[in-house]
Amino acid sequence: MTAPKQRTLLAALLVARGHPVSTDRLVTELWPEQAPSTATAALQVHVSGLRKITGERVRTTPAGYVLDITTDDVDAHRFEDILAGSARSTATLAEALDLWHGPAFDGVVTGPDIAAAAVRLNELRLAARQELAGLVLAAGRHAEILADLASWVAERPTAEGLVGHLMLALYRAGRTAEAMAAFARLRDVLAERFDTVPGDEVTRLAEAIRRRDPTLAQPLELPAARTRFIGRRSELDSCAALLGHSRLLTIVGPGGSGKTRLSYELARELAADHPDGTHVVELAGYPPASARDAEALAARVAAGVGGREVAGETVMASLARHLGTSRVLLVLDNCEHVLAPVAAVVHELLAACPAVRVLATSREPLGLPSEDVFVLGGLSLPDPDAPRSRSVGSDAVRLFGDRVAAARGGRRLQPDEETYAVELCRRLGGLPLALELAAPRLRTLSLRELVARLDRSLDLLSGSSPVDRHQTMRTAIDWGHDLLEPKQQVLFRRLSLFAGGFDLAAAERVGADPAGAPPRFPDEVLDVLTRLVERSMVDRFDAAGGASRYRLLETTREYAAERLATDGGATEERVAGARHSRVYQELVAAAPPTDGPAHAQWLARINAEHDNLRVALERSLSGGDPETGLAIATSMWWYWWVTGQMLDGRTWLRRALKATEYEVSQRRGQALRAAAALARNSGDLAEARRLGTEALDTFRELDNRAGIISSLNNLSITAQGQRDYEASLEYGYEGLRLAQDGDDDRAIAAALNNTAGTLRCLDRLDEAGDMFARALAGFEKISDRRGEAAARFNLATVDRRLGRLADARQRYLDALAIYTELDIAEGQLDAVEGLAHLHALQGRPAEALRLLVVSDRERSRLGAPLFTPDELVDRTRAEELARAALSREEAAAALRAASTDTLADLVATYRA
């Protein structure tokens, strides 16, 4: 259709969607500027011409002209109907967007109705693109949408939602500089074209990217798949259907059946149903000693979902409070050895959190009444009587064929191999891990030889019970293990000591034994490890930043551990275990860095190695090496403190101290001081005072000046929290005197800061201000950013009480910036509460109340209550001032505004 007026006429009738359009309306559409006197007659001519193309679909009615069409006739109508449907997903949105082939009504001279429809369609398209990008990013698949986002932003450079999604996708792809460049282009375009600036949301995102905010990481905490997922379509559909009407699904099956991989794929497919995230808690490395402790397991789950313990309540209650009404999917992987505590935690969690779903994997059910169980066996096998063409299409043969092609450089199964492939898949029961292990053998054996070799091992394995399948799996690993060279067998069993993954440096130190069987030296390990990866006995994956990490699948790790005990013997197991513990003791031995980026990297490193640290702790404390356990637990106290894992830290330190209770050493004193700090932060001030006193006594007995000073500082803070100001000052001044005698800059600054805090509680503000200023200078001298932030906050509070409000505001903002750089949420909250008090004093009560409400909620979520007496009084006074200045309606409005804000929102606002 080339006639412009006919194209406009058709467009006008299409916009009406089967409803009559009057002659006057059509004249306006065809001649929007000014209609000629012959417009009505000309319209009839154009209608006649259109009928020659559309036939009788154009009808004349008393109300005007009608074009008879169905939804399927018009892509724009199909697009709108898809978007109007209730089942919006990545698939439906992609289908809707695929209907577009250019701008709406491209090449049509538009009147008012067509122009309005074009605007509407373009806005719907923009919304669909933004929604699709959001869903794909929520599913952790940023690579899939990155190219599309770049193209869409090029079309709509001022669409802030699309620009934000592009920035996030680029950031997750490791292209931080490009993400910030995208924001800069948006800022420049908005300034040039509209003389305005980007909105708050995209600006906060840019700031989060700039500081590498950990909350921007992929929401799905799932290991990247190293191979394609093949088959299991019916299993995925069945599990999705079960979770559709249940809140607890346990996938049960033998080792090697693919429970973990199926659960991860299911989590990916259901990501859109859980907009608040998917959390994976891996339990394979969970210590057996804790296997009956539900509260300890709740702490493990809380750490996995980012929850913090709250003083005065159980960890289970804190976990339930953290998840609240969030729509999340919690994946609990490898539950079989901790069934009782998992069942207890899940039972309470489902009762307390109405929108949480739990997906568990185990070799047996949890045994809860609300549990749906899906029994997973091997992949679908060929029917014995099926023709070859159907046999090779079964899931088991397809998986094996795919892995064979990968192992042989792309050479797929040949026709003369297919019969043997079918037989091998049957013999291995379709178990995915067994097939994965078999495929690399074809580099050295023909498939016929492989089946013959397997026949000699599987003479009794024709059944299909779980016991049979387990034996099949074990035989397959046995068989793969027997094909390894001696060096490879030795390294394989030593690698079983790792939990959750490891890097090359750790593998070199743990895997090499100068006095044992090869590999004997670290530089021998890489070649052997590479061969284990090639033979699918070890999995390699990319960690954050692109570094290589390795892991053993749980089934093979259990097998390797048995081999370490039997083939290596007690000596090799003990010596290699000691090397493993030493690696992780050294990892945490150095004091945490005090500057922002280094501190964040340190936290990320400890998070990555957390399972290995727990294993090293358990081995040391239960295996006759309590000194190493004490050293690891003592060094980890700051990690437990800053991540809010108080119960975990206090439990490990309690065990380590009990195991070394007859020892008087510097390490024990440090452990007592660390346990005191964690007890204080948990709100148990009496226990903190007892432990702190024992630490001080230990260091006095050792005549350890540094230990005495740090213990006195610790006790000064605890006594201050107990409002025992006389004792607090006594501890503080003694610590300050000893630090000055020893010319210890860090200890002097810390003692000044802590002692000044007690003076401030006593309202001796001039003395406190002078001490805080000296502390700040001391921290700046040694570049201690954490201490600098604390001193700035404390000085700001003195300024505020003395009426120096402008100085107070700047210092609160400076402290907030440093705490944000260090990623210390408690410090951020202190600064926010200080700013709230300023707002209350300066006639901005609504903003003050908003900040205080958000701060209260975040403190509860983080498990970080205030305990400094004068700060508690200040916080209460600030809220009283704010509420007194607001009407009921104004207070309600402030509370509504606070209901959707987070700490990150507040930080972004005050750092802009």
Side-chain angles (χ1 to χ4, degrees), residues 23 121 144 219 240 290 309 651 858:
T23 298
L121 285 169
E144 293 180 18
S290 304
E309 299 163 30
T651 300
E858 293 292 311

Side-chain angles (χ1 to χ4, degrees), residues 605-760:
R605 181 74 194 279
I606 304 303
N607 276 326
E609 301 294 359
H610 191 240
D611 284 345
N612 280 310
L613 286 160
R614 291 179 68 98
V615 166
L617 278 166
E618 182 61 41
R619 179 191 303 112
S620 302
L621 294 177
S622 62
D625 186 14
E627 290 79 13
T628 297
L630 183 69
I632 296 173
T634 302
S635 299
M636 284 190 69
W637 84 271
W638 176 251
Y639 171 79
W640 286 319
W641 189 90
V642 80
T643 59
Q645 299 179 53
M646 304 302 160
L647 175 66
D648 210 28
R650 293 179 71 184
T651 300
W652 285 115
L653 281 165
R654 190 179 299 117
R655 284 184 61 188
L657 287 166
K658 184 170 180 57
T660 56
E661 59 186 341
Y662 301 111
E663 174 185 317
V664 177
S665 66
Q666 177 178 332
R667 181 74 70 188
R668 181 173 177 82
Q670 292 169 335
L672 287 163
R673 190 185 67 229
L678 294 181
R680 183 176 65 244
N681 207 51
S682 298
D684 192 349
L685 295 177
E687 178 69 358
R689 186 78 172 264
R690 184 190 71 77
L691 289 165
T693 301
E694 189 177 344
L696 179 60
D697 292 343
T698 300
F699 284 121
R700 287 195 194 281
E701 184 174 347
L702 295 169
D703 195 24
N704 184 309
R705 177 187 292 269
I708 293 170
I709 294 170
S710 61
S711 295
L712 288 167
N713 273 328
N714 190 308
L715 281 166
S716 178
I717 300 170
T718 300
Q720 181 192 106
Q722 293 177 306
R723 291 177 167 78
D724 186 354
Y725 299 128
E726 182 179 353
S728 178
L729 287 176
E730 184 178 333
Y731 291 134
Y733 282 127
E734 183 184 356
L736 178 58
R737 177 180 57 78
L738 289 173
Q740 289 171 331
D741 290 345
D743 200 24
D744 185 333
D745 288 336
R746 187 180 303 277
I748 292 171
L752 286 167
N753 199 51
N754 294 331
T755 306
T758 304
L759 292 171
R760 195 185 63 196

Side-chain angles (χ1 to χ4, degrees), residues 234-244 249 251 262 266 270 374:
S234 64
E235 289 91 338
L236 282 169
D237 290 342
S238 297
C239 289
L242 287 170
L243 268 180
L249 173 65
I251 300 175
L262 181 68
L266 183 62
L270 299 180
F374 184 85

Side-chain angles (χ1 to χ4, degrees), residues 293-307:
D293 188 346
E295 188 73 351
L297 192 132
R300 170 82 166 192
V301 176
V305 302

Side-chain angles (χ1 to χ4, degrees), residues 867-880:
F867 63 86
T868 304
D870 67 330
E871 291 175 12
L872 283 166
V873 171
D874 277 355
R875 196 249 167 260
T876 301
R877 177 59 180 153
E879 184 168 352
E880 288 174 349

Side-chain angles (χ1 to χ4, degrees), residues 320-367:
R321 180 195 297 273
H322 173 74
L323 292 175
T325 58
S326 299
R327 293 175 59 195
V328 303
L329 178 63
L330 179 61
V331 181
L332 302 178
D333 195 22
N334 292 299
C335 300
E336 51 271 353
H337 63 300
V338 283
L339 285 174
V342 167
V345 169
V346 169
H347 178 72
E348 288 197 41
L349 203 56
L350 294 179
C353 306
V356 169
R357 279 197 177 97
V358 176
L359 175 61
T361 72
S362 177
R363 295 181 187 176
E364 57 183 298
L366 303 184

